[in-house]
Amino acid sequence: MKQDKMLAQMKAVTNAVYLREHAKVKPILDREAQLRGKLAMLKQQVEDSRALVDQSHEMKALGVDLQWQKWHTNARRDINQDLAQVTAQKFRAMDKLRHAFGRKHAVETMENQHKSDAKERRNKMLFDRLMNLD
């Protein structure tokens, strides 16, 4: 029975570690989705403005098209840099999450195996007692 308690405690601890690591991943995934949304929105803005800028000679004469292009390029670069950093964080967090899940799964497997072995021993003992009744 001592091993039962130890396995139950190990299971509780590994489950808590897994849940903690899982909680750390969620904000990173949210930030990644936010940045990808910004990139998509920026791409849509560029496509929408392309026809307007091409048709407007006044904008070209004032250099607005070049300023817009410069702003767009800088904004895309900044978002991509942020996205690269968040992606690196995500990979590190997912690696920790995989390790925590592996530990959790291993302890659960050990506990299930221990319970199965104990049940088998108990059944064998009962069977031996039953056979000795003759």
Side-chain angles (χ1 to χ4, degrees), residues 70-83:
K70 181 180 177 182
W71 177 85
H72 161 261
T73 303
N74 289 338
R76 181 180 298 273
R77 183 194 66 233
D78 292 344
I79 293 171
N80 278 325
Q81 285 176 344
D82 290 345
L83 184 59

Side-chain angles (χ1 to χ4, degrees), residues 91-109:
F91 287 143
R92 287 190 299 271
M94 292 299 283
D95 191 43
K96 289 180 181 179
L97 182 64
R98 275 191 292 279
H99 281 95
F101 177 78
R103 288 184 191 107
K104 175 182 171 281
H105 181 68
V107 169
E108 287 173 353
T109 302

Side-chain angles (χ1 to χ4, degrees), residues 56-92:
S56 176
H57 298 290
E58 295 85 14
M59 286 186 177
K60 286 182 180 179
L62 293 173
V64 173
D65 60 335
L66 296 176
Q67 289 177 348
W68 166 251
Q69 185 65 31
K70 181 180 177 182
W71 177 85
H72 161 261
T73 303
N74 289 338
R76 181 180 298 273
R77 183 194 66 233
D78 292 344
I79 293 171
N80 278 325
Q81 285 176 344
D82 290 345
L83 184 59
Q85 290 173 351
V86 168
T87 302
Q89 285 178 328
K90 179 180 86 169
F91 287 143
R92 287 190 299 271

Side-chain angles (χ1 to χ4, degrees), residues 36-48:
R36 290 190 188 280
K38 283 183 178 182
L39 276 176
M41 186 175 67
L42 188 61
K43 181 179 178 183
Q44 187 62 43
Q45 287 175 346
V46 169
E47 290 174 5
D48 293 345

Side-chain angles (χ1 to χ4, degrees), residues 1-17:
M1 289 300 161
K2 191 174 187 181
Q3 192 172 8
D4 291 342
K5 287 183 180 181
M6 183 180 71
L7 285 172
Q9 288 174 348
M10 285 175 55
K11 182 178 177 182
V13 169
T14 56
N15 192 38
V17 170

